[in-house]
């Protein structure tokens, strides 16, 4: 384990049990989708810990909250971003005058993980391995991607400690907050405090020590304080796909029921009527028991912050299949009869502000809230580090913050809720609202910029319209580019076109080599490519047609105009979710059994059956075996159909070797997955038939490496991949009865084809492979009859 050089021992559990300890997970991981981030490519171009919200890094917000709440020791767990974050903690001084690693009020210890942090379990294993938390000490588990402004953590610690003494096997306290009332209440609190501070400022006996310490005013002098304006709309939900129903005891705060109410089929998270209509949500599946002895609370207005206070030894209860801490608490409820672990809830006070920073909408909204002083006020006295920009409130607008060398004229009109960095130039006739602008930025004439975050050294041409988007550092936006609907433009991207205005909606663009650029996304003069499918068009939105008379472009529509229906197909989404687990199981076969819980969760979430799951897994195993063989044989042939496992006739000299390698790999992987996975999920004849169909889909193409091995593969999954299992029940994955039922299905398809019926791709694959397996099926029939 690598720690900060000032530490004398590699074992970190040297703190006194009485100390309040916090563990900050300073990496962004989303296990259900791999290491991808909803903020890609902004993250990981910028480490999540160093992502700036109004020129202050997230790690600074988190540490500032912890030190204000009396945390004495905080461990910052890092992996890939260790050196960058360590340099920040060593060089950037906090508001207390010293770097964080030298802070007297709170001991900050960066910890470099020896493993890659891909999911929650990796972080837990690293904390346990490093012995960071003493065995007899409670601790605060804090994610990096949430901005919390509260002084209630001390009370939460006290309540948690009391519960551990009075409640048996009390494991943790999850920290929740109210979904929509917190910011409004903070606003009302600010208005009240501004009046009170105004009276104090008018009195001669006022001193700085008399100023109340609150999340809104802890660093603002009364004379400078201005009440913020109310938000123009509701804050984005922590998740647009679900809401949480929480049932807990009013006396003990112990949770007895917790459920994510997902939207019903047909309801859209982007439709306000669907979101607000209670009938659009799937109700909790568990009964709610009412007792006169113990009053309960049923809440649907709470959101989980991602932070919790854990009891001594709580981390040892985390399982491999837990993707997030919410899954851990669900596991406690599901296995209460076995493990007896319980947990409680602590609702943060209404004046607390919790702002998740996990999506584009949330990141933009968090910046907006800081500008409105609902979180940490944006004034010259509230900056966290002396090396940061020093901002002053503009004399023209109380919600406009200018760096000391912003370069803007004294008289500015049309700008509101704006943070402007140093050496920034904005054309006279351009309009900027609700936007954070970095330093050395140039915005050309006739531009409209609303609700954006613009990085350093960005150049924006004339006539651009940017709404609700993020522009990373060193990006060049040419004339006539229009961005909307949460676009993210990565660093050093150039967007320019000679064919008239270009409109991008929800685009994610990353930098690349010039020869790899996609002109339909960045223009014929640009450099960059799309990260994910996005809607790109040269047709202006309807509102611009009503407001102006644009000249029709001579250029044709972009290559990405087509809607990708496959992305919306439930089967494709299900397959993508399964593929990540299959890749993990291939890399770590010992973890396959532990993944079964996660396989069940995905199966249930998508409304699939065991047969669908087993069919998809076998199909993926065979396809990945062929891909591996192709990669190993790519130097022997030159005509590979783009890694699909197919090879043209010109590559036939090496096809035999590649086919044998794919077959050996497939057999080995099926044998590894047979007992821990297939035995668990393949139980009925229907499930077994689905498995055979999955094999057919994978090897039906005559060009694929395993096409000629179809009969041997069927024999392998029937009686050869696990000798002990075959001796136990006379089959491995599929029984003889299932093989014969498959033959009857093939016969029915042959009859349908003779009658002129049209077969879909799956039936055609079954018909093709069924003919290849005819001899083996007849052998199984003779053995069964004999």
């Amino acid at each position: 384990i690598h720690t900060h050089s000032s530490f004398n021992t590699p074992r970190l559990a040297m703190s006194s049990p009485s100390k309040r300890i916090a563990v900050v997970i300073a990496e962004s991981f989303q296990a259900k989708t791999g290491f991808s981030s909803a903020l890609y490519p902004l993250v990981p171009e910028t480490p999540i810990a160093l992502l700036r919200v109004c020129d202050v890094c997230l790690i600074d917000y988190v540490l500032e909250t912890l030190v204000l709440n009396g945390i004495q020791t905080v461990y910052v767990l890092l992996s890939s971003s260790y050196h960058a974050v360590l340099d920040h903690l060593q060089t950037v001084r906090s508001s207390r005058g010293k770097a964080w690693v030298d802070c007297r009020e709170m001991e900050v210890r960066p910890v470099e993980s020896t493993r890659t942090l891909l999911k929650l379990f990796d972080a837990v294993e690293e904390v346990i391995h490093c012995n960071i938390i003493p065995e007899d000490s409670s601790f605060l588990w804090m994610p990096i991607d949430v901005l919390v402004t509260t002084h209630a953590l001390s009370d939460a610690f006290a309540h948690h400690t009391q519960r551990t003494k009075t409640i048996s096997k009390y494991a943790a306290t999850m920290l929740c907050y109210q979904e929509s009332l917190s910011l409004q209440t903070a606003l009302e609190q600010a208005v009240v405090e501004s009046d009170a501070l105004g009276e104090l400022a008018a009195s001669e006996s006022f001193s700085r020590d008399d100023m109340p310490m609150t999340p809104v005013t802890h660093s603002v002098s009364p004379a400078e304080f201005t009440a913020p304006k109310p938000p123009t709309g509701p804050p984005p939900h922590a998740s647009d796909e679900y809401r949480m129903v929480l049932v807990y005891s009013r006396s003990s705060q112990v949770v007895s029921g917790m459920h994510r109410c997902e939207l019903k089929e047909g309801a859209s998270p982007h439709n306000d009527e669907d979101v607000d209509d209670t009938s659009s949500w799937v109700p909790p599946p568990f009964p709610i028991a009412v007792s006169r002895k113990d009053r309960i609370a049923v809440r649907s207005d709470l959101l989980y912050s991602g932070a919790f206070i854990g009891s001594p030894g709580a981390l040892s209860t985390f399982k491999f299949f837990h993707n997030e801490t919410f899954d851990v608490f669900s596991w406690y409820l599901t296995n209460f009869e076995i493990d007896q672990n319980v947990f409680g809830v602590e609702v943060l006070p209404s004046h607390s502000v919790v702002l998740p920073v996990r999506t584009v909408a949330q990141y933009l909204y968090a910046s907006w809230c800081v500008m409105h002083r609902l979180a940490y006020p944006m004034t010259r006295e509230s900056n966290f580090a002396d090396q940061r920009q020093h901002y002053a409130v503009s004399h023209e607008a109380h919600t406009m913050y200018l760096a000391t060398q912003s370069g803007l004229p004294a008289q500015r009109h049309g700008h509101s809720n704006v943070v402007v960095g140093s050496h920034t130039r904005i054309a006279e006739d351009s309009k900027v609202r609700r936007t954070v602008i970095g330093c050395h930025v140039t915005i050309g004439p006739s531009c409209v910029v609303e609700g954006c975050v613009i990085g350093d050294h960005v150049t924006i041409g004339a006539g651009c319209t940017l709404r609700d988007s993020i522009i990373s550092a060193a990006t060049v936006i040419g004339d006539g580019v229009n961005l909307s609907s949460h676009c993210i433009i990565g660093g050093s991207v150039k967007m320019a076109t000679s064919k008239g205005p270009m409109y991008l909606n929800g685009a994610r663009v990353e930098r690349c080599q010039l020869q790899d650029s996609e002109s339909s996304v960045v223009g014929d003069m640009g450099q960059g490519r799309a990260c994910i499918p996005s809607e790109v068009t040269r047709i202006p939105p309807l509102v611009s047609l009503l407001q102006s008379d644009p000249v029709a472009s001579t250029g044709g529509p972009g290559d990405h105009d087509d809607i990708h229906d496959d992305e919306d197909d439930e089967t494709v989404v299900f397959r993508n979710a399964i593929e990540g687990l299959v890749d993990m199981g291939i890399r770590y076969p010992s973890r396959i059994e532990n993944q079964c819980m996660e396989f069940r969760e995905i199966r249930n979430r998508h409304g699939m059956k065991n047969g669908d799951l087993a069919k998809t897994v076998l199909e993926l195993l065979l396809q990945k075996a062929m891909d591996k063989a192709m990669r190993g044989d790519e130097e022997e042939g030159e005509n590979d159909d783009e890694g699909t496992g197919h090879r043209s006739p010109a590559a036939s000299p090496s096809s035999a070797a590649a086919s044998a390698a794919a077959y050996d790999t497939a057999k080995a992987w099926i044998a590894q997955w047979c007992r821990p996975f297939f035995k668990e999920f393949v139980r009925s004849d229907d499930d077994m038939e689905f498995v055979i169909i999955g094999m057919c889909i994978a090897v039906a193409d005559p060009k694929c490496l395993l096409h000629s091995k179809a009969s041997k593969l069927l024999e392998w999954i029937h009686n050869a991949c696990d000798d002990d299992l075959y001796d136990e029940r006379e089959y491995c994955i599929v029984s003889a009865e299932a093989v014969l039922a498959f033959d009857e299905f093939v016969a029915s398809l042959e009859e349908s084809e003779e009658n002129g019926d049209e077969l879909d791709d799956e039936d055609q694959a079954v018909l093709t492979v069924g003919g290849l397996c005819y001899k083996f099926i007849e052998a199984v029939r003779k053995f069964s009859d004999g």
Side-chain angles (χ1 to χ4, degrees):
I1 176 174
H2 301 84
T3 61
H4 185 237
S5 59
S6 63
F7 305 150
N8 297 322
T9 173
R11 308 302 291 176
L12 302 180
M14 303 297 292
S15 302
S16 170
S18 61
K19 284 188 176 182
R20 289 179 178 172
I21 299 174
V23 179
V24 177
I25 308 303
E27 299 287 351
S28 175
F29 49 81
Q30 297 180 4
K32 292 183 179 179
T33 56
F35 196 73
S36 63
S37 169
L39 292 172
Y40 186 88
L42 181 62
V43 176
E45 280 185 1
T46 301
I48 185 67
L50 302 183
L51 187 64
R52 294 186 296 178
V53 179
C54 287
D55 207 40
V56 176
C57 296
L58 283 178
I59 187 65
D60 294 323
Y61 285 111
V62 172
L63 295 178
E64 184 72 15
T65 296
L66 296 179
V67 72
L68 289 176
N69 282 271
I71 301 298
Q72 296 164 290
T73 303
V74 55
Y75 297 96
V76 182
L77 187 61
L78 300 153
S79 58
S80 59
S81 63
Y82 172 76
H83 295 288
V85 177
L86 177 62
D87 180 69
H88 176 86
L89 298 176
Q90 289 176 331
T91 58
V92 176
R93 292 198 286 179
S94 69
S95 60
R96 285 152 187 81
K98 292 188 176 183
W100 281 115
V101 293
D102 301 321
C103 180
R104 295 180 179 179
E105 293 84 353
M106 180 177 70
E107 186 179 12
V108 178
R109 294 189 174 187
V111 179
E112 183 179 15
S113 173
T114 57
R115 68 192 76 194
T116 303
L117 303 181
L118 297 178
K119 58 190 301 185
L120 173 67
F121 183 78
D122 297 326
V124 172
E125 285 289 282
E126 189 67 24
V127 171
I128 295 176
H129 171 73
C130 297
N131 195 23
I132 289 177
I133 302 172
E135 297 180 358
D136 56 349
S137 176
S138 296
F139 60 93
L140 171 65
W141 184 275
M142 195 76 178
I144 191 64
D145 52 3
V146 60
L147 194 157
V148 180
T149 307
T150 184
H151 286 275
L153 295 182
S154 298
D155 293 338
F157 254 106
H159 297 161
H160 173 83
T161 303
Q162 181 63 29
R163 294 172 194 173
T164 58
K165 297 177 180 178
T166 58
I167 302 175
S168 176
K169 301 199 74 171
Y170 188 81
T173 300
M174 59 188 302
L175 302 180
C176 297
Y177 63 100
Q178 287 180 283
E179 179 181 22
S180 59
L181 298 180
S182 58
L183 289 178
Q184 187 64 31
T185 305
L187 173 62
E188 297 171 358
Q189 177 88 5
V191 173
V192 173
E193 290 171 358
S194 65
D195 294 336
L197 292 174
E199 296 177 2
L200 287 173
S203 65
E204 298 179 356
S205 60
F206 174 80
S207 67
R208 185 98 181 164
D209 296 334
D210 296 327
M211 185 171 58
M213 299 294 290
T214 70
V216 179
T217 64
H218 74 270
S219 58
V220 183
S221 65
E224 295 176 340
F225 188 86
T226 302
K229 298 180 180 180
T232 57
H237 306 305
S239 174
D240 291 331
E241 305 297 336
Y242 69 86
R243 292 189 182 221
M244 183 175 69
V245 173
L246 199 64
V247 182
Y248 59 90
S249 168
R250 295 285 296 273
S251 58
S252 65
Q253 305 294 305
V254 171
V255 176
S256 58
M258 185 172 61
H259 174 63
R260 282 179 172 174
C261 292
E262 298 180 348
L263 282 169
K264 293 181 179 179
E265 184 177 358
S268 172
H270 307 293
N271 188 328
D272 293 338
E273 294 182 359
D274 289 343
V275 173
D276 295 334
D277 186 3
T278 56
S279 62
S280 299
W281 299 87
V282 179
F286 54 83
I288 299 176
V290 180
S291 173
R292 293 184 177 180
K293 296 181 179 179
D294 187 10
R295 299 178 61 187
I296 63 172
V298 181
R299 304 284 296 272
S300 61
D301 63 330
L302 298 180
L303 288 175
Y304 175 44
S305 65
F308 69 90
I309 302 175
S311 301
L315 290 182
S316 62
T317 62
F318 283 44
K319 306 297 182 182
F320 172 76
F321 49 82
H322 292 152
N323 285 326
E324 51 182 337
T325 52
F326 190 95
D327 296 337
V328 178
F329 298 127
S330 300
W331 172 261
Y332 287 157
L333 294 175
T334 305
N335 295 270
F336 172 74
E337 295 183 359
I338 301 175
D339 300 329
Q340 301 295 313
N341 290 317
V342 298
F343 66 96
V345 62
E346 182 77 15
V347 182
L348 297 176
S350 58
H351 58 73
S352 302
V353 178
V354 180
L355 300 171
V357 189
R358 303 182 182 112
T359 65
V360 179
Q362 291 171 349
Y363 176 54
L364 295 175
Y365 188 78
S367 300
W368 184 90
C369 289
V370 173
M371 281 190 289
H372 276 70
R373 308 179 189 177
L374 292 177
Y376 294 92
M378 275 295 301
T379 68
R380 71 175 70 192
E381 296 183 1
S382 67
N383 60 301
F384 285 84
D386 59 354
Q387 295 182 6
R388 295 291 186 190
Q389 303 288 350
H390 290 270
Y391 294 92
V393 179
S394 170
H395 296 290
E396 297 295 322
H398 292 297
T399 57
M400 184 174 178
Y401 306 93
L402 304 178
T404 52
Q405 296 179 343
S406 63
L408 294 183
Q411 299 292 331
R412 299 299 304 168
H413 302 284
H415 297 347
S416 60
N417 305 324
V418 177
V419 177
V420 182
S422 62
H423 303 94
T424 290
R425 300 289 186 270
I426 302 177
E428 289 287 341
D429 59 344
S430 293
K431 306 292 184 181
V432 182
R433 304 181 186 90
R434 297 185 291 108
T435 295
V436 179
I437 304 175
C439 62
H440 299 278
V441 174
T442 301
I443 299 179
S446 303
C447 291
V448 177
V449 182
E450 295 182 349
C452 295
V453 173
I454 300 176
D456 300 336
H457 301 280
V458 171
T459 301
I460 299 175
C464 295
T465 300
L466 312 179
R467 288 189 172 93
D468 301 323
S469 298
I470 301 173
I471 315 297
S472 300
T475 295
V476 177
I477 305 294
D479 298 344
V481 175
N482 297 262
L483 307 178
S484 61
S485 303
H486 301 155
C487 293
I488 300 183
I489 309 302
S492 302
V493 169
K494 180 180 180 181
M495 305 184 69
T497 177
S498 61
K499 300 180 180 180
M502 182 172 62
Y503 300 85
L504 281 76
N505 300 315
R508 305 290 180 89
V509 184
E510 64 181 351
R511 60 188 173 193
C512 66
Q513 298 296 326
L514 183 60
Q515 62 270 21
D516 297 328
S517 298
E518 299 179 13
S519 59
S520 60
V521 176
V522 298
D524 57 332
M525 301 169 60
Q527 181 175 352
R529 63 186 178 189
C531 311
I532 59 175
S534 56
E535 183 182 350
V536 182
T537 178
R538 297 190 184 278
I539 303 175
L542 180 61
V543 64
S544 66
L545 294 176
L546 298 176
Q547 296 174 351
S548 60
D549 185 19
V551 179
S553 171
T554 58
D559 296 338
H560 291 256
D561 288 342
D562 297 336
I563 298 176
H564 296 261
D565 295 332
D566 287 345
E567 293 296 326
D568 299 326
D569 185 70
E570 184 66 25
T571 303
V572 175
V573 177
F574 173 71
R575 178 189 173 93
N576 292 340
I578 293 299
E579 187 171 6
L581 296 180
V582 171
D583 289 335
M584 184 67 70
I586 290 175
R587 290 182 60 189
Y588 306 105
S590 61
R591 299 182 179 181
I592 297 174
E593 185 175 0
N594 293 329
Q595 289 179 310
C596 288
M597 177 66 71
E598 196 163 353
F599 276 117
R600 290 192 187 92
E601 179 189 351
I602 297 175
R603 177 201 62 190
N604 296 336
R605 188 189 330 136
H606 293 276
M608 298 295 182
K609 299 180 179 179
N610 283 342
D612 300 313
L613 176 62
K615 179 185 76 171
T616 304
V617 169
L618 182 61
E619 181 185 349
L620 287 169
L621 289 175
L622 295 178
Q623 184 60 58
K624 291 180 182 298
M626 291 186 285
D627 291 342
K628 181 180 179 182
M630 293 299 293
R631 291 193 299 269
D633 193 46
E634 60 186 0
E635 297 181 356
E636 299 182 19
E638 299 178 355
N639 298 314
D640 177 14
D641 285 345
E642 299 180 358
T644 60
H646 304 154
R647 203 177 272 272
S648 61
S652 57
S654 62
S655 294
S659 177
Y663 178 57
D664 292 339
T665 301
K667 289 199 304 180
W669 287 351
I670 293 174
Q672 290 173 348
W673 285 73
C674 178
R675 186 175 291 271
F677 175 82
F678 288 108
K679 183 184 177 182
E680 181 70 21
F681 291 100
V682 181
R683 300 178 179 179
S684 66
D685 291 342
D686 290 340
D687 298 337
M688 298 176 190
E689 190 170 346
F690 270 95
V691 171
I692 301 176
I693 292 175
M695 182 201 72
C696 295
I697 295 174
V699 305
D701 193 323
K703 293 182 180 180
C704 81
L705 297 179
L706 292 177
H707 181 73
S708 61
K709 308 290 185 181
S711 180
K712 293 183 177 181
L713 286 173
L714 182 58
E715 180 181 0
W716 183 255
I717 64 177
H718 168 56
N719 61 16
C721 62
D722 192 314
D723 294 337
D724 294 337
L725 197 58
Y726 182 80
D727 294 339
E728 177 183 330
R729 59 184 190 181
E730 296 185 349
Y731 71 91
C732 296
I733 299 177
V734 298
S735 63
E737 291 78 5
V739 173
L740 298 180
F742 169 73
D743 185 55
E744 294 177 2
F745 180 46
V746 173
S748 67
L749 293 178
E750 291 176 345
E751 183 178 352
S752 299
E753 188 179 41
E754 292 174 358
N755 294 334
D757 296 340
E758 185 176 354
L759 303 181
D760 59 21
D761 293 341
E762 182 174 302
D763 290 341
Q764 191 62 53
V766 170
L767 189 60
T768 301
V769 177
L772 298 175
C773 301
Y774 175 75
K775 291 184 178 180
F776 173 72
I777 295 175
E778 287 303 310
V780 172
R781 191 188 311 278
K782 291 180 180 180
F783 182 81
S784 301
D785 294 341

